[in-house]
Coordinates of all heavy atoms in Angstrom, one line a residue:
A2 N -5.3 -14.5 -11.3 CA -6.3 -13.5 -11.6 C -7.0 -13.0 -10.3 O -7.3 -13.8 -9.4 CB -7.2 -13.9 -12.7
E3 N -7.3 -11.7 -10.3 CA -8.1 -11.2 -9.2 C -9.5 -11.6 -9.2 O -10.2 -11.5 -10.3 CB -8.0 -9.7 -9.2 CG -8.7 -9.0 -8.0 CD -8.6 -7.5 -8.1 OE1 -8.7 -6.9 -9.2 OE2 -8.3 -6.8 -7.1
G4 N -10.1 -12.2 -8.1 CA -11.4 -12.6 -8.1 C -12.4 -11.4 -7.9 O -12.0 -10.3 -7.6
L5 N -13.7 -11.7 -8.2 CA -14.7 -10.7 -8.1 C -14.7 -10.1 -6.7 O -14.8 -8.8 -6.6 CB -16.0 -11.2 -8.5 CG -17.2 -10.3 -8.4 CD1 -17.0 -9.1 -9.4 CD2 -18.5 -11.0 -8.8
R6 N -14.7 -10.9 -5.7 CA -14.8 -10.4 -4.3 C -13.6 -9.5 -4.0 O -13.7 -8.5 -3.4 CB -14.8 -11.6 -3.3 CG -15.0 -11.2 -1.9 CD -15.0 -12.4 -1.0 NE -15.1 -12.0 0.4 CZ -15.0 -12.8 1.4 NH1 -14.8 -14.1 1.2 NH2 -15.1 -12.3 2.7
E7 N -12.4 -10.0 -4.4 CA -11.2 -9.2 -4.1 C -11.2 -7.8 -4.8 O -10.8 -6.8 -4.3 CB -9.9 -10.0 -4.5 CG -9.6 -11.2 -3.6 CD -10.5 -12.3 -3.8 OE1 -11.2 -12.4 -4.9 OE2 -10.6 -13.2 -2.9
R8 N -11.7 -7.9 -6.1 CA -11.8 -6.6 -6.9 C -12.8 -5.6 -6.2 O -12.5 -4.4 -6.1 CB -12.2 -6.9 -8.3 CG -12.4 -5.7 -9.2 CD -12.6 -6.0 -10.6 NE -13.9 -6.7 -10.8 CZ -15.1 -6.2 -10.8 NH1 -15.2 -4.9 -10.7 NH2 -16.2 -6.9 -11.0
K9 N -13.9 -6.1 -5.8 CA -14.9 -5.3 -5.1 C -14.3 -4.7 -3.8 O -14.5 -3.5 -3.5 CB -16.2 -6.0 -4.8 CG -17.0 -6.3 -6.1 CD -18.3 -6.9 -5.8 CE -19.2 -7.0 -7.0 NZ -20.5 -7.6 -6.7
K10 N -13.6 -5.5 -3.1 CA -13.0 -5.0 -1.8 C -12.0 -3.9 -2.1 O -11.9 -2.9 -1.4 CB -12.4 -6.1 -1.0 CG -13.4 -7.1 -0.4 CD -12.7 -8.3 0.3 CE -11.8 -7.8 1.4 NZ -11.3 -9.0 2.2
R11 N -11.2 -4.2 -3.2 CA -10.1 -3.2 -3.5 C -10.8 -1.9 -4.0 O -10.3 -0.8 -3.6 CB -9.2 -3.8 -4.6 CG -8.2 -2.8 -5.2 CD -7.3 -3.4 -6.2 NE -8.1 -4.0 -7.3 CZ -8.6 -3.3 -8.3 NH1 -8.5 -2.0 -8.4 NH2 -9.3 -4.0 -9.3
E12 N -11.8 -2.0 -4.8 CA -12.5 -0.8 -5.3 C -13.2 0.0 -4.1 O -13.2 1.2 -4.1 CB -13.5 -1.2 -6.3 CG -12.9 -1.7 -7.6 CD -13.9 -2.2 -8.6 OE1 -15.1 -2.4 -8.2 OE2 -13.6 -2.4 -9.8
T13 N -13.8 -0.8 -3.2 CA -14.4 -0.1 -2.0 C -13.4 0.6 -1.2 O -13.6 1.8 -0.8 CB -15.1 -1.1 -1.2 OG1 -16.2 -1.8 -1.9 CG2 -15.8 -0.5 0.1
R14 N -12.3 0.0 -1.0 CA -11.2 0.6 -0.2 C -10.7 1.9 -0.9 O -10.5 2.9 -0.2 CB -10.0 -0.4 0.0 CG -8.9 0.1 0.8 CD -7.7 -0.8 0.9 NE -6.8 -0.5 1.9 CZ -5.8 0.5 1.7 NH1 -5.8 1.1 0.6 NH2 -5.0 0.8 2.7
Q15 N -10.5 1.8 -2.2 CA -10.0 2.9 -2.9 C -11.0 4.1 -2.9 O -10.7 5.2 -2.8 CB -9.7 2.5 -4.4 CG -9.0 3.6 -5.2 CD -7.6 4.0 -4.6 OE1 -6.8 3.2 -4.4 NE2 -7.5 5.3 -4.2
R16 N -12.3 3.7 -3.1 CA -13.3 4.7 -3.0 C -13.4 5.5 -1.7 O -13.5 6.7 -1.6 CB -14.7 4.1 -3.3 CG -15.9 5.1 -3.3 CD -17.1 4.4 -3.9 NE -18.3 5.3 -3.7 CZ -19.0 5.3 -2.6 NH1 -18.7 4.5 -1.6 NH2 -20.0 6.1 -2.5
I17 N -13.3 4.7 -0.6 CA -13.3 5.3 0.7 C -12.1 6.2 0.9 O -12.2 7.4 1.4 CB -13.3 4.2 1.8 CG1 -14.6 3.5 1.8 CG2 -13.1 4.9 3.2 CD1 -14.6 2.2 2.7
S18 N -10.9 5.8 0.4 CA -9.7 6.5 0.6 C -9.8 7.8 -0.3 O -9.4 8.9 0.2 CB -8.5 5.7 0.1 OG -7.4 6.5 0.0
D19 N -10.3 7.7 -1.5 CA -10.4 8.9 -2.3 C -11.4 10.0 -1.7 O -11.1 11.2 -1.8 CB -10.9 8.5 -3.7 CG -9.9 7.8 -4.5 OD1 -8.7 7.8 -4.1 OD2 -10.3 7.1 -5.5
I20 N -12.5 9.5 -1.2 CA -13.5 10.4 -0.6 C -12.9 11.1 0.6 O -13.0 12.3 0.9 CB -14.8 9.7 -0.3 CG1 -15.5 9.3 -1.5 CG2 -15.6 10.5 0.7 CD1 -16.7 8.4 -1.3
A21 N -12.1 10.3 1.5 CA -11.5 10.8 2.7 C -10.5 11.9 2.3 O -10.4 12.9 2.9 CB -10.9 9.7 3.5
T22 N -9.7 11.6 1.3 CA -8.6 12.5 0.8 C -9.3 13.9 0.4 O -8.8 14.9 0.8 CB -7.8 12.0 -0.3 OG1 -7.1 10.8 0.1 CG2 -6.8 13.0 -0.8
G23 N -10.4 13.8 -0.3 CA -11.1 15.0 -0.7 C -11.6 15.8 0.5 O -11.5 17.0 0.5
L24 N -12.1 15.1 1.5 CA -12.5 15.8 2.7 C -11.4 16.4 3.5 O -11.5 17.6 4.0 CB -13.3 14.8 3.6 CG -14.6 14.3 3.2 CD1 -15.1 13.2 4.1 CD2 -15.6 15.4 3.1
F25 N -10.3 15.7 3.6 CA -9.1 16.2 4.3 C -8.6 17.5 3.6 O -8.2 18.5 4.2 CB -8.0 15.2 4.3 CG -8.3 14.0 5.1 CD1 -7.8 12.7 4.8 CD2 -9.1 14.1 6.3 CE1 -8.1 11.6 5.5 CE2 -9.4 12.9 7.0 CZ -8.9 11.7 6.7
L26 N -8.5 17.5 2.3 CA -8.0 18.6 1.5 C -9.0 19.8 1.6 O -8.5 21.0 1.6 CB -7.8 18.2 0.0 CG -6.7 17.2 -0.3 CD1 -6.8 16.9 -1.8 CD2 -5.4 17.8 0.1
E27 N -10.2 19.5 1.7 CA -11.2 20.6 1.8 C -11.4 21.2 3.2 O -11.4 22.4 3.4 CB -12.6 20.0 1.4 CG -13.7 21.1 1.4 CD -15.1 20.5 1.1 OE1 -15.1 19.3 0.7 OE2 -16.1 21.1 1.3
R28 N -11.3 20.3 4.2 CA -11.7 20.8 5.6 C -10.5 20.6 6.6 O -10.6 21.1 7.7 CB -12.9 20.0 6.1 CG -14.1 20.3 5.3 CD -15.2 19.3 5.4 NE -15.5 18.8 6.7 CZ -16.4 17.8 7.0 NH1 -17.0 17.2 6.0 NH2 -16.6 17.4 8.2
G29 N -9.4 20.0 6.2 CA -8.3 19.7 7.1 C -8.5 18.4 7.8 O -9.6 17.9 8.0
F30 N -7.3 17.8 8.1 CA -7.3 16.4 8.7 C -8.0 16.4 10.1 O -8.8 15.5 10.4 CB -5.9 15.9 8.8 CG -5.8 14.5 9.4 CD1 -6.0 13.4 8.6 CD2 -5.5 14.3 10.7 CE1 -5.9 12.2 9.1 CE2 -5.3 13.1 11.2 CZ -5.6 12.0 10.4
M31 N -7.7 17.4 10.9 CA -8.1 17.4 12.3 C -9.7 17.5 12.5 O -10.2 17.0 13.4 CB -7.5 18.5 13.1 CG -5.9 18.4 13.1 SD -5.3 16.8 13.7 CE -5.7 17.0 15.5
T32 N -10.3 18.2 11.5 CA -11.8 18.4 11.7 C -12.6 17.3 11.1 O -13.8 17.2 11.5 CB -12.2 19.7 11.0 OG1 -11.9 19.6 9.6 CG2 -11.4 20.9 11.6
V33 N -12.1 16.5 10.2 CA -12.8 15.4 9.6 C -12.8 14.1 10.5 O -11.7 13.8 11.0 CB -12.2 15.0 8.2 CG1 -12.9 13.8 7.6 CG2 -12.4 16.2 7.3
T34 N -13.9 13.5 10.8 CA -14.0 12.3 11.6 C -14.2 11.1 10.7 O -14.6 11.2 9.5 CB -15.2 12.4 12.6 OG1 -16.4 12.4 11.9 CG2 -15.0 13.7 13.4
M35 N -14.0 9.9 11.3 CA -14.3 8.7 10.6 C -15.8 8.6 10.2 O -16.1 8.1 9.2 CB -13.9 7.5 11.4 CG -12.4 7.4 11.7 SD -11.4 7.1 10.2 CE -11.1 5.3 10.4
T36 N -16.6 9.2 11.1 CA -18.1 9.2 10.8 C -18.4 10.0 9.6 O -19.2 9.7 8.7 CB -18.9 9.7 12.0 OG1 -18.6 8.9 13.1 CG2 -20.3 9.8 11.7
D37 N -17.7 11.2 9.5 CA -17.8 12.0 8.3 C -17.5 11.3 7.0 O -18.2 11.4 6.0 CB -16.9 13.3 8.4 CG -17.3 14.2 9.5 OD1 -18.5 14.2 9.8 OD2 -16.4 14.9 10.0
V38 N -16.4 10.5 7.1 CA -15.9 9.7 5.9 C -16.9 8.7 5.6 O -17.3 8.5 4.4 CB -14.6 9.1 6.2 CG1 -14.2 8.2 5.0 CG2 -13.5 10.2 6.4
A39 N -17.5 8.0 6.6 CA -18.4 6.9 6.3 C -19.7 7.5 5.7 O -20.2 6.9 4.7 CB -18.8 6.2 7.7
E40 N -20.2 8.6 6.2 CA -21.4 9.2 5.6 C -21.2 9.7 4.2 O -22.0 9.5 3.3 CB -21.8 10.4 6.5 CG -22.3 10.0 7.9 CD -22.7 11.2 8.7 OE1 -22.4 12.3 8.3 OE2 -23.3 11.0 9.8
A41 N -20.0 10.3 3.9 CA -19.7 10.7 2.6 C -19.6 9.6 1.6 O -19.9 9.7 0.4 CB -18.5 11.6 2.6
A42 N -19.1 8.4 2.1 CA -18.9 7.3 1.2 C -20.1 6.3 1.2 O -20.1 5.3 0.5 CB -17.6 6.5 1.7
D43 N -21.1 6.7 2.0 CA -22.3 5.9 2.1 C -22.0 4.4 2.5 O -22.5 3.5 2.0 CB -23.1 5.9 0.8 CG -24.5 5.4 0.9 OD1 -25.1 5.5 2.0 OD2 -25.1 5.0 -0.1
V44 N -21.2 4.3 3.6 CA -20.9 3.0 4.2 C -21.0 3.2 5.7 O -21.1 4.3 6.2 CB -19.5 2.5 3.8 CG1 -19.4 2.2 2.3 CG2 -18.4 3.4 4.2
S45 N -20.9 2.1 6.4 CA -20.9 2.2 7.9 C -19.6 2.6 8.4 O -18.6 2.4 7.7 CB -21.4 0.8 8.5 OG -20.3 -0.1 8.3

Side-chain angles (χ1 to χ4, degrees):
E3 182 182 40
L5 178 61
R6 183 181 180 188
E7 289 73 20
R8 179 173 61 80
K9 286 187 174 181
K10 288 176 66 175
R11 174 176 56 78
E12 290 174 348
T13 299
R14 185 185 190 280
Q15 188 60 57
R16 179 171 172 273
I17 293 171
S18 172
D19 291 344
I20 289 172
T22 299
L24 291 174
F25 295 147
L26 292 175
E27 178 184 352
R28 292 158 48 183
F30 181 80
M31 302 302 292
T32 61
V33 175
T34 67
M35 296 291 261
T36 300
D37 293 333
V38 174
E40 290 177 352
D43 195 25
V44 297
S45 70

